[in-house]
PDB file of all heavy atoms in Angstrom:
ATOM      1  N   HIS A   1     -43.588  36.940  24.810  1.00  0.00           N
ATOM      2  CA  HIS A   1     -42.424  36.209  25.358  1.00  0.00           C
ATOM      3  C   HIS A   1     -42.248  36.586  26.835  1.00  0.00           C
ATOM      4  O   HIS A   1     -41.256  37.203  27.216  1.00  0.00           O
ATOM      5  CB  HIS A   1     -41.155  36.535  24.579  1.00  0.00           C
ATOM      6  CG  HIS A   1     -41.270  36.303  23.107  1.00  0.00           C
ATOM      7  ND1 HIS A   1     -41.642  37.304  22.218  1.00  0.00           N
ATOM      8  CD2 HIS A   1     -41.099  35.166  22.365  1.00  0.00           C
ATOM      9  CE1 HIS A   1     -41.661  36.806  20.993  1.00  0.00           C
ATOM     10  NE2 HIS A   1     -41.340  35.511  21.054  1.00  0.00           N
ATOM     11  N   PRO A   2     -43.197  36.218  27.672  1.00  0.00           N
ATOM     12  CA  PRO A   2     -43.129  36.629  29.076  1.00  0.00           C
ATOM     13  C   PRO A   2     -41.956  35.966  29.801  1.00  0.00           C
ATOM     14  O   PRO A   2     -41.616  34.808  29.544  1.00  0.00           O
ATOM     15  CB  PRO A   2     -44.468  36.149  29.642  1.00  0.00           C
ATOM     16  CG  PRO A   2     -44.892  35.033  28.748  1.00  0.00           C
ATOM     17  CD  PRO A   2     -44.388  35.394  27.385  1.00  0.00           C
ATOM     18  N   VAL A   3     -41.345  36.735  30.691  1.00  0.00           N
ATOM     19  CA  VAL A   3     -40.248  36.219  31.518  1.00  0.00           C
ATOM     20  C   VAL A   3     -40.797  36.009  32.923  1.00  0.00           C
ATOM     21  O   VAL A   3     -41.114  36.963  33.633  1.00  0.00           O
ATOM     22  CB  VAL A   3     -39.065  37.204  31.545  1.00  0.00           C
ATOM     23  CG1 VAL A   3     -37.954  36.671  32.458  1.00  0.00           C
ATOM     24  CG2 VAL A   3     -38.529  37.422  30.134  1.00  0.00           C
ATOM     25  N   TYR A   4     -40.902  34.764  33.319  1.00  0.00           N
ATOM     26  CA  TYR A   4     -41.494  34.437  34.615  1.00  0.00           C
ATOM     27  C   TYR A   4     -40.466  34.425  35.745  1.00  0.00           C
ATOM     28  O   TYR A   4     -40.826  34.618  36.905  1.00  0.00           O
ATOM     29  CB  TYR A   4     -42.179  33.065  34.544  1.00  0.00           C
ATOM     30  CG  TYR A   4     -43.355  33.038  33.596  1.00  0.00           C
ATOM     31  CD1 TYR A   4     -43.225  32.530  32.305  1.00  0.00           C
ATOM     32  CD2 TYR A   4     -44.600  33.529  33.987  1.00  0.00           C
ATOM     33  CE1 TYR A   4     -44.300  32.505  31.427  1.00  0.00           C
ATOM     34  CE2 TYR A   4     -45.686  33.515  33.117  1.00  0.00           C
ATOM     35  CZ  TYR A   4     -45.519  33.000  31.838  1.00  0.00           C
ATOM     36  OH  TYR A   4     -46.590  32.991  30.975  1.00  0.00           O
ATOM     37  N   PHE A   5     -39.223  34.208  35.418  1.00  0.00           N
ATOM     38  CA  PHE A   5     -38.182  34.089  36.447  1.00  0.00           C
ATOM     39  C   PHE A   5     -37.948  35.414  37.166  1.00  0.00           C
ATOM     40  O   PHE A   5     -38.020  36.495  36.578  1.00  0.00           O
ATOM     41  CB  PHE A   5     -36.863  33.652  35.793  1.00  0.00           C
ATOM     42  CG  PHE A   5     -35.676  33.721  36.726  1.00  0.00           C
ATOM     43  CD1 PHE A   5     -35.462  32.725  37.669  1.00  0.00           C
ATOM     44  CD2 PHE A   5     -34.790  34.791  36.672  1.00  0.00           C
ATOM     45  CE1 PHE A   5     -34.376  32.796  38.539  1.00  0.00           C
ATOM     46  CE2 PHE A   5     -33.704  34.866  37.530  1.00  0.00           C
ATOM     47  CZ  PHE A   5     -33.494  33.862  38.461  1.00  0.00           C
ATOM     48  N   SER A   6     -37.684  35.328  38.452  1.00  0.00           N
ATOM     49  CA  SER A   6     -37.163  36.478  39.194  1.00  0.00           C
ATOM     50  C   SER A   6     -36.081  35.997  40.150  1.00  0.00           C
ATOM     51  O   SER A   6     -36.163  34.903  40.711  1.00  0.00           O
ATOM     52  CB  SER A   6     -38.270  37.211  39.961  1.00  0.00           C
ATOM     53  OG  SER A   6     -38.816  36.401  40.982  1.00  0.00           O
ATOM     54  N   ARG A   7     -35.072  36.833  40.318  1.00  0.00           N
ATOM     55  CA  ARG A   7     -33.944  36.477  41.162  1.00  0.00           C
ATOM     56  C   ARG A   7     -34.336  36.555  42.633  1.00  0.00           C
ATOM     57  O   ARG A   7     -35.380  37.123  42.998  1.00  0.00           O
ATOM     58  CB  ARG A   7     -32.763  37.399  40.876  1.00  0.00           C
ATOM     59  CG  ARG A   7     -32.952  38.810  41.373  1.00  0.00           C
ATOM     60  CD  ARG A   7     -31.916  39.761  40.810  1.00  0.00           C
ATOM     61  NE  ARG A   7     -30.571  39.216  40.821  1.00  0.00           N
ATOM     62  CZ  ARG A   7     -29.555  39.699  40.078  1.00  0.00           C
ATOM     63  NH1 ARG A   7     -29.766  40.744  39.285  1.00  0.00           N
ATOM     64  NH2 ARG A   7     -28.367  39.160  40.142  1.00  0.00           N
ATOM     65  N   LEU A   8     -33.492  36.037  43.466  1.00  0.00           N
ATOM     66  CA  LEU A   8     -33.670  36.116  44.911  1.00  0.00           C
ATOM     67  C   LEU A   8     -32.787  37.242  45.421  1.00  0.00           C
ATOM     68  O   LEU A   8     -31.576  37.234  45.219  1.00  0.00           O
ATOM     69  CB  LEU A   8     -33.251  34.788  45.541  1.00  0.00           C
ATOM     70  CG  LEU A   8     -33.712  34.454  46.956  1.00  0.00           C
ATOM     71  CD1 LEU A   8     -35.217  34.500  47.071  1.00  0.00           C
ATOM     72  CD2 LEU A   8     -33.190  33.069  47.346  1.00  0.00           C
ATOM     73  N   GLY A   9     -33.387  38.239  46.059  1.00  0.00           N
ATOM     74  CA  GLY A   9     -32.593  39.355  46.553  1.00  0.00           C
ATOM     75  C   GLY A   9     -33.468  40.510  46.979  1.00  0.00           C
ATOM     76  O   GLY A   9     -34.708  40.429  46.952  1.00  0.00           O
ATOM     77  N   TRP A  10     -32.823  41.607  47.350  1.00  0.00           N
ATOM     78  CA  TRP A  10     -33.553  42.803  47.765  1.00  0.00           C
ATOM     79  C   TRP A  10     -34.190  43.519  46.587  1.00  0.00           C
ATOM     80  O   TRP A  10     -35.342  43.949  46.649  1.00  0.00           O
ATOM     81  CB  TRP A  10     -32.602  43.773  48.487  1.00  0.00           C
ATOM     82  CG  TRP A  10     -33.194  45.135  48.699  1.00  0.00           C
ATOM     83  CD1 TRP A  10     -34.110  45.481  49.655  1.00  0.00           C
ATOM     84  CD2 TRP A  10     -32.946  46.329  47.935  1.00  0.00           C
ATOM     85  NE1 TRP A  10     -34.451  46.820  49.529  1.00  0.00           N
ATOM     86  CE2 TRP A  10     -33.749  47.359  48.481  1.00  0.00           C
ATOM     87  CE3 TRP A  10     -32.125  46.624  46.849  1.00  0.00           C
ATOM     88  CZ2 TRP A  10     -33.745  48.662  47.974  1.00  0.00           C
ATOM     89  CZ3 TRP A  10     -32.121  47.915  46.333  1.00  0.00           C
ATOM     90  CH2 TRP A  10     -32.917  48.926  46.900  1.00  0.00           C
ATOM     91  N   CYS A  11     -33.464  43.664  45.503  1.00  0.00           N
ATOM     92  CA  CYS A  11     -33.845  44.594  44.444  1.00  0.00           C
ATOM     93  C   CYS A  11     -35.051  44.138  43.628  1.00  0.00           C
ATOM     94  O   CYS A  11     -35.996  44.905  43.418  1.00  0.00           O
ATOM     95  CB  CYS A  11     -32.655  44.877  43.529  1.00  0.00           C
ATOM     96  SG  CYS A  11     -31.886  43.394  42.827  1.00  0.00           S
ATOM     97  N   TYR A  12     -35.031  42.907  43.139  1.00  0.00           N
ATOM     98  CA  TYR A  12     -36.097  42.370  42.293  1.00  0.00           C
ATOM     99  C   TYR A  12     -36.642  41.088  42.907  1.00  0.00           C
ATOM    100  O   TYR A  12     -35.952  40.381  43.628  1.00  0.00           O
ATOM    101  CB  TYR A  12     -35.559  42.051  40.888  1.00  0.00           C
ATOM    102  CG  TYR A  12     -35.411  43.248  39.986  1.00  0.00           C
ATOM    103  CD1 TYR A  12     -34.255  44.011  40.006  1.00  0.00           C
ATOM    104  CD2 TYR A  12     -36.424  43.615  39.109  1.00  0.00           C
ATOM    105  CE1 TYR A  12     -34.109  45.121  39.173  1.00  0.00           C
ATOM    106  CE2 TYR A  12     -36.289  44.716  38.268  1.00  0.00           C
ATOM    107  CZ  TYR A  12     -35.126  45.459  38.305  1.00  0.00           C
ATOM    108  OH  TYR A  12     -34.998  46.552  37.485  1.00  0.00           O
ATOM    109  N   GLY A  13     -37.890  40.770  42.581  1.00  0.00           N
ATOM    110  CA  GLY A  13     -38.421  39.470  42.911  1.00  0.00           C
ATOM    111  C   GLY A  13     -39.248  39.391  44.175  1.00  0.00           C
ATOM    112  O   GLY A  13     -39.688  40.402  44.740  1.00  0.00           O
ATOM    113  N   ASP A  14     -39.454  38.161  44.618  1.00  0.00           N
ATOM    114  CA  ASP A  14     -40.409  37.852  45.670  1.00  0.00           C
ATOM    115  C   ASP A  14     -40.164  38.581  46.984  1.00  0.00           C
ATOM    116  O   ASP A  14     -41.119  39.022  47.649  1.00  0.00           O
ATOM    117  CB  ASP A  14     -40.390  36.344  45.953  1.00  0.00           C
ATOM    118  CG  ASP A  14     -40.977  35.517  44.818  1.00  0.00           C
ATOM    119  OD1 ASP A  14     -41.567  36.099  43.888  1.00  0.00           O
ATOM    120  OD2 ASP A  14     -40.844  34.280  44.872  1.00  0.00           O
ATOM    121  N   LEU A  15     -38.910  38.699  47.400  1.00  0.00           N
ATOM    122  CA  LEU A  15     -38.641  39.233  48.731  1.00  0.00           C
ATOM    123  C   LEU A  15     -39.013  40.711  48.851  1.00  0.00           C
ATOM    124  O   LEU A  15     -39.606  41.127  49.850  1.00  0.00           O
ATOM    125  CB  LEU A  15     -37.162  39.024  49.088  1.00  0.00           C
ATOM    126  CG  LEU A  15     -36.722  37.561  49.210  1.00  0.00           C
ATOM    127  CD1 LEU A  15     -35.237  37.473  49.522  1.00  0.00           C
ATOM    128  CD2 LEU A  15     -37.534  36.826  50.270  1.00  0.00           C
ATOM    129  N   GLY A  16     -38.669  41.496  47.849  1.00  0.00           N
ATOM    130  CA  GLY A  16     -39.017  42.916  47.882  1.00  0.00           C
ATOM    131  C   GLY A  16     -40.510  43.140  47.766  1.00  0.00           C
ATOM    132  O   GLY A  16     -41.077  43.998  48.457  1.00  0.00           O
ATOM    133  N   VAL A  17     -41.165  42.363  46.906  1.00  0.00           N
ATOM    134  CA  VAL A  17     -42.622  42.461  46.768  1.00  0.00           C
ATOM    135  C   VAL A  17     -43.292  42.101  48.091  1.00  0.00           C
ATOM    136  O   VAL A  17     -44.209  42.796  48.561  1.00  0.00           O
ATOM    137  CB  VAL A  17     -43.112  41.546  45.630  1.00  0.00           C
ATOM    138  CG1 VAL A  17     -44.636  41.392  45.682  1.00  0.00           C
ATOM    139  CG2 VAL A  17     -42.691  42.092  44.276  1.00  0.00           C
ATOM    140  N   ALA A  18     -42.839  41.023  48.727  1.00  0.00           N
ATOM    141  CA  ALA A  18     -43.434  40.584  49.991  1.00  0.00           C
ATOM    142  C   ALA A  18     -43.259  41.631  51.085  1.00  0.00           C
ATOM    143  O   ALA A  18     -44.195  41.898  51.859  1.00  0.00           O
ATOM    144  CB  ALA A  18     -42.823  39.257  50.427  1.00  0.00           C
ATOM    145  N   ALA A  19     -42.069  42.238  51.162  1.00  0.00           N
ATOM    146  CA  ALA A  19     -41.840  43.265  52.175  1.00  0.00           C
ATOM    147  C   ALA A  19     -42.785  44.442  51.977  1.00  0.00           C
ATOM    148  O   ALA A  19     -43.345  44.982  52.940  1.00  0.00           O
ATOM    149  CB  ALA A  19     -40.389  43.736  52.126  1.00  0.00           C
ATOM    150  N   ALA A  20     -42.975  44.862  50.714  1.00  0.00           N
ATOM    151  CA  ALA A  20     -43.870  45.987  50.434  1.00  0.00           C
ATOM    152  C   ALA A  20     -45.318  45.635  50.782  1.00  0.00           C
ATOM    153  O   ALA A  20     -46.048  46.452  51.360  1.00  0.00           O
ATOM    154  CB  ALA A  20     -43.760  46.393  48.967  1.00  0.00           C
ATOM    155  N   LEU A  21     -45.755  44.435  50.439  1.00  0.00           N
ATOM    156  CA  LEU A  21     -47.118  44.017  50.770  1.00  0.00           C
ATOM    157  C   LEU A  21     -47.316  43.970  52.285  1.00  0.00           C
ATOM    158  O   LEU A  21     -48.379  44.353  52.795  1.00  0.00           O
ATOM    159  CB  LEU A  21     -47.420  42.643  50.166  1.00  0.00           C
ATOM    160  CG  LEU A  21     -47.577  42.584  48.641  1.00  0.00           C
ATOM    161  CD1 LEU A  21     -47.685  41.136  48.184  1.00  0.00           C
ATOM    162  CD2 LEU A  21     -48.802  43.382  48.186  1.00  0.00           C
ATOM    163  N   TRP A  22     -46.300  43.503  52.999  1.00  0.00           N
ATOM    164  CA  TRP A  22     -46.373  43.470  54.456  1.00  0.00           C
ATOM    165  C   TRP A  22     -46.536  44.882  55.026  1.00  0.00           C
ATOM    166  O   TRP A  22     -47.387  45.131  55.881  1.00  0.00           O
ATOM    167  CB  TRP A  22     -45.135  42.798  55.024  1.00  0.00           C
ATOM    168  CG  TRP A  22     -45.053  42.855  56.516  1.00  0.00           C
ATOM    169  CD1 TRP A  22     -44.372  43.760  57.291  1.00  0.00           C
ATOM    170  CD2 TRP A  22     -45.725  41.990  57.442  1.00  0.00           C
ATOM    171  NE1 TRP A  22     -44.556  43.518  58.626  1.00  0.00           N
ATOM    172  CE2 TRP A  22     -45.392  42.431  58.750  1.00  0.00           C
ATOM    173  CE3 TRP A  22     -46.571  40.887  57.292  1.00  0.00           C
ATOM    174  CZ2 TRP A  22     -45.868  41.800  59.895  1.00  0.00           C
ATOM    175  CZ3 TRP A  22     -47.051  40.258  58.433  1.00  0.00           C
ATOM    176  CH2 TRP A  22     -46.703  40.716  59.708  1.00  0.00           C
ATOM    177  N   GLN A  23     -45.711  45.797  54.542  1.00  0.00           N
ATOM    178  CA  GLN A  23     -45.768  47.175  55.038  1.00  0.00           C
ATOM    179  C   GLN A  23     -47.113  47.816  54.739  1.00  0.00           C
ATOM    180  O   GLN A  23     -47.695  48.497  55.591  1.00  0.00           O
ATOM    181  CB  GLN A  23     -44.629  47.985  54.413  1.00  0.00           C
ATOM    182  CG  GLN A  23     -43.252  47.554  54.881  1.00  0.00           C
ATOM    183  CD  GLN A  23     -42.135  48.076  54.002  1.00  0.00           C
ATOM    184  OE1 GLN A  23     -42.369  48.601  52.912  1.00  0.00           O
ATOM    185  NE2 GLN A  23     -40.907  47.935  54.460  1.00  0.00           N
ATOM    186  N   ALA A  24     -47.613  47.598  53.527  1.00  0.00           N
ATOM    187  CA  ALA A  24     -48.913  48.161  53.165  1.00  0.00           C
ATOM    188  C   ALA A  24     -50.024  47.539  53.999  1.00  0.00           C
ATOM    189  O   ALA A  24     -50.954  48.237  54.446  1.00  0.00           O
ATOM    190  CB  ALA A  24     -49.179  47.942  51.682  1.00  0.00           C
ATOM    191  N   GLY A  25     -49.956  46.227  54.204  1.00  0.00           N
ATOM    192  CA  GLY A  25     -50.963  45.558  55.006  1.00  0.00           C
ATOM    193  C   GLY A  25     -50.999  46.075  56.429  1.00  0.00           C
ATOM    194  O   GLY A  25     -52.082  46.268  57.008  1.00  0.00           O
ATOM    195  N   CYS A  26     -49.824  46.329  56.995  1.00  0.00           N
ATOM    196  CA  CYS A  26     -49.762  46.880  58.353  1.00  0.00           C
ATOM    197  C   CYS A  26     -50.295  48.315  58.381  1.00  0.00           C
ATOM    198  O   CYS A  26     -51.033  48.698  59.293  1.00  0.00           O
ATOM    199  CB  CYS A  26     -48.329  46.831  58.877  1.00  0.00           C
ATOM    200  SG  CYS A  26     -47.699  45.160  59.165  1.00  0.00           S
ATOM    201  N   ALA A  27     -49.902  49.124  57.388  1.00  0.00           N
ATOM    202  CA  ALA A  27     -50.290  50.538  57.375  1.00  0.00           C
ATOM    203  C   ALA A  27     -51.784  50.721  57.119  1.00  0.00           C
ATOM    204  O   ALA A  27     -52.420  51.586  57.732  1.00  0.00           O
ATOM    205  CB  ALA A  27     -49.477  51.289  56.328  1.00  0.00           C
ATOM    206  N   LEU A  28     -52.341  49.933  56.206  1.00  0.00           N
ATOM    207  CA  LEU A  28     -53.752  50.083  55.833  1.00  0.00           C
ATOM    208  C   LEU A  28     -54.642  49.021  56.485  1.00  0.00           C
ATOM    209  O   LEU A  28     -55.825  48.921  56.164  1.00  0.00           O
ATOM    210  CB  LEU A  28     -53.912  50.024  54.308  1.00  0.00           C
ATOM    211  CG  LEU A  28     -53.716  51.349  53.549  1.00  0.00           C
ATOM    212  CD1 LEU A  28     -52.292  51.865  53.668  1.00  0.00           C
ATOM    213  CD2 LEU A  28     -54.094  51.192  52.079  1.00  0.00           C
ATOM    214  N   ARG A  29     -54.047  48.226  57.366  1.00  0.00           N
ATOM    215  CA  ARG A  29     -54.778  47.185  58.093  1.00  0.00           C
ATOM    216  C   ARG A  29     -55.499  46.236  57.135  1.00  0.00           C
ATOM    217  O   ARG A  29     -56.690  45.931  57.295  1.00  0.00           O
ATOM    218  CB  ARG A  29     -55.761  47.808  59.084  1.00  0.00           C
ATOM    219  CG  ARG A  29     -55.053  48.671  60.129  1.00  0.00           C
ATOM    220  CD  ARG A  29     -56.013  49.296  61.100  1.00  0.00           C
ATOM    221  NE  ARG A  29     -55.288  50.148  62.062  1.00  0.00           N
ATOM    222  CZ  ARG A  29     -55.874  50.858  63.012  1.00  0.00           C
ATOM    223  NH1 ARG A  29     -57.193  50.825  63.147  1.00  0.00           N
ATOM    224  NH2 ARG A  29     -55.158  51.596  63.829  1.00  0.00           N
ATOM    225  N   ASN A  30     -54.732  45.750  56.167  1.00  0.00           N
ATOM    226  CA  ASN A  30     -55.266  44.824  55.173  1.00  0.00           C
ATOM    227  C   ASN A  30     -54.662  43.443  55.442  1.00  0.00           C
ATOM    228  O   ASN A  30     -53.507  43.173  55.094  1.00  0.00           O
ATOM    229  CB  ASN A  30     -54.926  45.311  53.764  1.00  0.00           C
ATOM    230  CG  ASN A  30     -55.593  44.475  52.679  1.00  0.00           C
ATOM    231  OD1 ASN A  30     -55.494  43.253  52.664  1.00  0.00           O
ATOM    232  ND2 ASN A  30     -56.278  45.146  51.758  1.00  0.00           N
TER     233      ASN A  30
END
């Protein structure tokens, strides 16, 4: 019973994941 929905905000969902990927990409030059 997978839950695909994620809220919009800092804590959960796309925005926080994107910020982390951005930071990692900058730090590791990915």
Side-chain angles (χ1 to χ4, degrees):
H1 305 93
V3 178
Y4 295 99
F5 170 79
S6 65
R7 71 193 316 162
L8 198 57
W10 168 77
C11 55
Y12 281 86
D14 290 350
L15 296 178
V17 167
L21 289 172
W22 174 264
Q23 292 164 349
C26 292
L28 274 65
R29 299 180 182 178
N30 187 308

